[in-house]
Amino acid sequence: MLVSPLSDPRSGFSCLAYGQCGTALRRLLLLALLALTASAFALSTAASYGAAAQTAKKSGLLKEDSRDCMRCHWMETMAYRDRETGKIVNLSIDRDAYRHSVHHELACSDCHDRGYSHYPHRTSSADEALQCVECHEEREDDGAPNLVGLHHEYEKSVHVTEEVEDFSCFSCHNPHTFHPVSAGESIAQVVAETNGTCLDCHTELLTPVPKGHEWLPRPQAHWGSVRCLDCHTPLEGRITERPSHNVLAAEDSNQLCVECHSKGSALLSQLYNYRTEQARDEKGFFAQAIYNDAYIVGMTRNPWMDWIGLGVILLMILGVAAHGYARYRFHREQETSK
Amino acid sequence: MTAFYLYPLWLRLWHWLNALIFVTLLVTGVSMHFTLNWLIPFDVAVPIHNTAGVLLTGSWLLFVIGNLWGGNGKHYLINLRTLPKDLIAQTRYYLHGIFVGAPHPFHVSAEHKLNALQTLSYVGVMYGLMPVLILSGWAFLFSTSLPETLFGIGTVWIIAIVHLVVAWMLALFLIVHSYIITTGETPTTNLKAMVTGWHKEQSSG
Ligand code: HEM
């Protein structure tokens, strides 16, 4: 259903492209049809490109050679069925998502630089051996963040040590949509997005009582509010900016409830500190202190309420003790006066 | 000497069972809230707290049913006409009279075993705070089935604050309650009554 006729040489449309069709009349008819579609297509793309240009002037997709690519790749149905695996390979580029991605300034050919001048393409991205780490190093001067440290973490992760087949950066990250957490996103959104990446492959965990998580009370509630990574990466050496790429094996992952359910939780500080700082800038300190995103038992996310509670209890104990002592004194006085 | 049988067996059983469940909830709740792992480890406290919460619901229903059927309910009727006067008298006694040997303003009888202050606080606790505590506890248990936000604030957050505030208030009640029961004729008059069922006083009023 997702297979695009353009990419399947057996389909009727490809017959047109190859120019192998029958009679001259049929060819003429088809040409007329093609001219019509092409002009309609040009109009519609021009319109949407115009709108796009207003929001993101620098978008790499608007560069000359990218436009050629996007003539086909903007289509949502742009895909083909891989003959070997039988899987549907999506070739469509979501322009909106690309515009908001970290790579939005890049033109298609900035990464896909070989073998795309012909149609059908003689290469596929799988053969290109695209290297995120190297590319980022080469373009550090253009502002590409260095990924070497992250790569070292990644090399220690189960995804590498367990030699998962065909695992690469692209298994988790789509370079056409990748973007950092934005200020407007709620914890739930951030969590849903990151966990979605894990669950895309780990579909065996999509059960009410997920394998290996039997010890965890209410797993679904947990998965809605914390990232898999919060437990499945090492506690040491965490930084606020991004999660570690050293994804731990099940037996090495954190299973201690109090790592999260405690004041100044080490596991969640990354997820929450990041958010709180942003939200504070947006909403102001007090609004943020009162209306926190989520309440976590043990994290005491509202300290002043605890102080009031403890204070009142303490005062009451003192009051009651004083009352009792005064009663005792009165009682003793009466005894002695008798 | 006077003696009234004021606390039937079911009420005594209910009371001490209820107190046990409540103290369990308090201790496990506090150790979860403040992460007092030396008190009760978190992963132990959670299932105990949840189980005790369910038991407390049963215990509360027992209390309501018992009071509807058992005749004990009459002690919980607030006499609005005499309430202000009684309350003032009772409060004055606790703040002043008790230290100067003034007579107790309230006399326990088979018809009225609870003074105005007791009636008011027990009604407030059993029909006000306890239902809110129990409902918010159940809301916690089923929070995943509730809407994400309520009035623009996270639902879990609202539930947590309600549960917490009511728990603080009930903890406060427990302190006052445990102390006030010592203000009978002798410090143990009321405690003995809740154990044996018989309220005994030396003087006859
Ligand atoms: C371990 C702590 C507790 C002790 C030592 C204790 C002791 C007593 C005593 C001696 C009485 C009888 C005297 C009186 O009528 O005031 C009593 C009555 C009562 N207590 Fe407690 N109590 C405790 C915990 C609780 C808790 C946690 C609750 C409810 C949340 C509670 C609710 C009541 C009620 C409603 C009555 C009146 C029952 C009636 O006569 O109908 N108590 N308590």
Side-chain angles (χ1 to χ4, degrees):
Chain A
M1 53 214 165
L2 255 175
V3 179
S4 153
L6 270 174
S7 52
D8 190 341
R10 287 162 304 183
S11 75
F13 203 57
S14 72
C15 137
L16 191 152
Y18 285 98
Q20 294 160 341
C21 293
T23 62
L25 184 70
R26 259 170 81 190
R27 206 176 285 178
L28 214 80
L29 253 169
L30 278 169
L31 264 175
L33 208 84
L34 184 67
L36 250 171
T37 353
S39 50
F41 184 59
L43 268 173
S44 73
T45 39
S48 60
Y49 271 39
Q54 278 179 346
T55 45
K57 285 198 180 63
K58 283 192 289 183
S59 175
L61 294 185
L62 295 178
K63 291 183 183 160
E64 201 49 52
D65 51 348
S66 297
R67 281 178 186 233
D68 288 340
C69 308
M70 290 310 285
R71 284 170 77 106
C72 294
H73 286 278
W74 73 276
M75 282 186 280
E76 278 174 35
T77 49
M78 187 75 191
Y80 72 99
R81 189 184 290 279
D82 189 288
R83 275 192 225 155
E84 276 166 40
T85 61
K87 279 191 186 146
I88 287 164
V89 180
N90 184 3
L91 295 175
S92 139
I93 302 294
D94 180 339
R95 279 176 297 181
D96 233 22
Y98 190 79
R99 220 178 292 136
H100 292 108
S101 78
V102 284
H103 296 130
H104 71 96
E105 282 178 52
L106 301 182
C108 305
S109 59
D110 285 341
C111 296
H112 308 283
D113 53 356
R114 278 192 302 266
Y116 288 100
S117 48
H118 295 85
Y119 179 81
H121 303 323
R122 299 203 180 123
T123 185
S124 90
S125 60
D127 309 326
E128 285 180 288
L130 292 172
Q131 300 289 347
C132 303
V133 182
E134 281 76 3
C135 190
H136 273 240
E137 252 184 325
E138 280 164 25
R139 298 182 191 218
E140 215 164 334
D141 293 339
D142 298 333
N146 191 308
L147 303 180
V148 174
L150 193 146
H151 189 68
H152 286 315
E153 293 170 356
Y154 165 71
E155 283 186 320
K156 286 183 248 163
S157 76
V158 271
H159 293 138
V160 173
T161 55
E162 291 293 311
E163 294 171 6
V164 183
E165 212 182 324
D166 286 337
F167 204 90
S168 71
C169 305
F170 305 118
S171 307
C172 300
H173 302 297
N174 181 346
H176 298 128
T177 59
F178 185 81
H179 65 92
V181 176
S182 62
E185 273 177 286
S186 68
I187 293 276
Q189 275 174 305
V190 176
V191 167
E193 238 172 82
T194 21
N195 289 1
T197 306
C198 307
L199 294 169
D200 265 352
C201 291
H202 292 279
T203 47
E204 78 278 6
L205 296 176
L206 293 168
T207 56
V209 186
K211 190 174 145 279
H213 293 79
E214 295 85 359
W215 62 276
L216 183 71
R218 303 152 65 66
Q220 309 303 338
H222 274 100
W223 293 1
S225 28
V226 286
R227 298 173 301 182
C228 306
L229 292 170
D230 290 317
C231 296
H232 291 282
T233 54
L235 197 72
E236 308 80 40
R238 290 186 178 215
I239 53 172
T240 323
E241 294 74 33
R242 58 166 179 81
S244 166
H245 280 61
N246 178 5
V247 178
L248 298 171
E251 60 272 20
D252 300 328
S253 300
N254 298 290
Q255 289 200 9
L256 262 180
C257 306
V258 286
E259 297 284 25
C260 283
H261 293 276
S262 63
K263 210 166 156 189
S265 150
L267 285 192
L268 287 188
S269 57
Q270 193 181 47
L271 180 62
Y272 279 86
N273 279 354
Y274 182 53
R275 281 279 315 162
T276 326
E277 275 162 29
Q278 285 183 332
R280 222 171 257 165
D281 293 342
E282 273 171 44
K283 298 189 207 163
F285 183 80
F286 284 104
Q288 181 55 22
I290 299 169
Y291 306 123
N292 258 307
D293 248 21
Y295 177 87
I296 294 162
V297 179
M299 230 171 147
T300 314
R301 296 182 66 72
N302 204 313
W304 58 262
M305 239 187 67
D306 285 340
W307 286 118
I308 293 175
L310 283 174
V312 172
I313 295 271
L314 193 77
L315 282 179
M316 187 53 81
I317 292 176
L318 285 177
V320 155
H323 196 276
Y325 180 68
R327 260 170 72 203
Y328 170 74
R329 283 282 300 272
F330 169 69
H331 184 73
R332 280 282 300 274
E333 267 170 35
Q334 272 199 329
E335 294 278 282
T336 45
S337 65
K338 269 181 205 166
Chain B
M1 193 187 102
T2 57
F4 300 104
Y5 186 67
L6 296 179
Y7 303 93
L9 183 64
W10 76 264
L11 187 66
R12 282 177 280 147
L13 284 178
W14 165 80
H15 181 267
W16 294 119
L17 180 74
N18 185 66
L20 182 73
I21 297 171
F22 190 84
V23 170
T24 307
L25 282 165
L26 202 61
V27 175
T28 50
V30 163
S31 55
M32 288 192 310
H33 185 73
F34 293 105
T35 333
L36 307 179
N37 250 19
W38 48 266
L39 192 59
I40 300 183
F42 192 90
D43 47 344
V44 179
V46 172
I48 296 180
H49 193 82
N50 291 353
T51 314
V54 175
L55 289 177
L56 188 78
T57 312
S59 160
W60 184 79
L61 289 174
L62 210 78
F63 176 81
V64 174
I65 294 168
N67 274 318
L68 282 178
W69 263 279
N72 192 58
K74 67 169 183 256
H75 298 290
Y76 288 85
L77 301 176
I78 296 171
N79 187 339
L80 281 179
R81 203 168 41 79
T82 58
L83 183 74
K85 180 176 70 71
D86 290 349
L87 272 186
I88 291 168
Q90 196 63 43
T91 312
R92 273 183 61 145
Y93 173 72
Y94 285 136
L95 292 182
H96 178 70
I98 199 167
F99 301 119
V100 294
H104 208 292
F106 176 78
H107 303 290
V108 173
S109 69
E111 289 313 301
H112 298 284
K113 66 174 169 184
L114 305 175
N115 68 47
L117 217 53
Q118 276 175 317
T119 315
L120 205 63
S121 61
Y122 291 156
V123 166
V125 162
M126 294 312 297
Y127 297 105
L129 294 180
M130 287 288 263
V132 179
L133 184 78
I134 288 168
L135 281 177
S136 58
W138 282 94
F140 246 144
L141 276 181
F142 289 95
S143 55
T144 38
S145 320
L146 297 175
E148 198 68 37
T149 55
L150 204 66
F151 315 121
I153 311 169
T155 309
V156 184
W157 179 247
I158 297 177
I159 295 168
I161 295 302
V162 170
H163 198 71
L164 217 59
V165 170
V166 174
W168 279 119
M169 289 161 84
L170 280 168
L172 204 64
F173 161 79
L174 188 62
I175 296 170
V176 178
H177 180 57
S178 307
Y179 176 72
I180 289 283
I181 59 159
T182 66
T183 60
E185 194 189 43
T186 74
T188 55
T189 305
N190 287 333
L191 194 61
K192 280 180 188 146
M194 200 34 129
V195 173
T196 63
W198 287 91
H199 183 99
K200 291 181 183 167
E201 285 187 18
Q202 293 311 113
S203 61
S204 47

